[in-house]
Amino acid sequence: MDVWSLCVTLYAMLTAQLPFEGSDAEERKKNILAYKITSNSVLSTKARKLFSSVFTDAKYRPRLADLLKCDFILQYDF
């Protein structure tokens, strides 16, 4: 499972916008490479923490199994 893509989709579902924005494709690419997330006040602290942990360098990015143990996911009763 691609954690990055999964969280891009989750971010879009929660905020109705993409996590990385820009006025054109080049600026958007720069924001992605710099891990500059579009701020959104709709997100809870737990969601922000989740996204900041995922939208980072791949060597520090959590795996799917790690995400299932994060505070954002654990707040829901499955």
Side-chain angles (χ1 to χ4, degrees):
M1 175 64 63
D2 181 6
V3 170
W4 177 282
S5 299
L6 179 68
C7 284
V8 167
T9 304
L10 178 60
Y11 189 100
M13 290 170 53
L14 293 174
T15 66
Q17 69 183 54
L18 295 174
F20 303 99
E21 293 188 346
S23 58
D24 58 20
E26 190 61 34
E27 185 179 343
R28 192 173 308 111
K29 181 180 175 182
K30 284 181 185 178
N31 288 339
I32 291 170
L33 294 174
Y35 312 113
K36 186 177 175 187
I37 304 169
T38 304
S39 65
N40 193 305
S41 61
V42 172
L43 294 173
S44 68
T45 302
K46 291 177 182 180
R48 285 188 208 130
K49 184 177 175 183
L50 166 70
F51 293 124
S52 67
S53 73
V54 171
F55 298 138
T56 188
D57 189 306
K59 62 184 171 188
Y60 303 115
R61 197 172 302 145
R63 295 172 301 152
L64 185 58
D66 300 324
L67 291 183
L68 294 174
K69 300 173 190 170
C70 78
D71 291 339
F72 179 78
I73 301 298
L74 291 175
Q75 70 185 341
Y76 299 100
D77 190 23
F78 294 105

